[in-house]
Amino acid sequence: CITAKMIDSMLRNRDINKQVFERLLRLMAKSFHSAMLAKMLLGDRAEDTQEEVYIAALLHELGEIAFWSIGGEMTEALDTALRQNGGTKDQVIMQMLGTSFDQLSVGLASVWNMGDMLVRSIEDPSRRTPEMRAIGLACDYSSALTDPQSSVNLSSCLKEMSELSGVS
């Protein structure tokens, strides 16, 4: 239900320009990929735990998805600035918005009572519980696949995922 509602609400705005809409679609695809991967990494855990991890990974980019889905001049200006990339992605976002997408995600998740696991996975991604590791690794891996400027080492990430899931 959350997945269907997310797709419906995020894609409802018809005033989003083509570049921003494509960015939003890529980000949502990355979110779904991360969610499925995180759930699969914990295949031996209880179904409730798997679902909570799935939702946390799915909504991990909630702030960024919400931002791009509103459309308008600010989204278009940020999209242009990121494509021109006069600095790192995080620097450009902080300069233009005065906050990070992670801070926006934490704020939305907290206000909307989206769950402690989601908030903790964004605020403290270095936590070493299996659930936090699964969310972090899945999000990192999906980012590395979709962002050529990602600093994630795919080989290292795959090794950690195999260790976590118990698959050689």
Side-chain angles (χ1 to χ4, degrees), residues 46-103:
E47 190 173 325
D48 289 351
T49 301
Q50 290 179 36
E51 287 302 312
E52 192 173 3
V53 165
Y54 174 89
I55 292 168
L58 178 70
L59 299 177
H60 200 265
E61 314 290 341
L62 176 65
E64 186 172 359
I65 290 171
F67 174 80
W68 295 120
S69 69
I70 61 172
E73 290 179 25
M74 180 57 92
T75 61
E76 292 171 21
L78 183 57
D79 177 64
T80 299
L82 289 172
R83 280 188 278 115
Q84 293 171 352
N85 203 5
T88 69
K89 178 181 176 183
D90 292 337
Q91 289 172 333
V92 172
I93 293 165
M94 184 61 77
Q95 180 182 10
M96 291 191 70
L97 300 182
T99 189
S100 68
F101 284 139
D102 282 350
Q103 290 171 329

Side-chain angles (χ1 to χ4, degrees), residues 1-13:
C1 288
I2 289 174
T3 303
K5 184 68 176 165
M6 181 177 163
I7 291 171
D8 180 56
S9 65
M10 297 303 170
L11 299 179
R12 184 172 288 159
N13 186 349

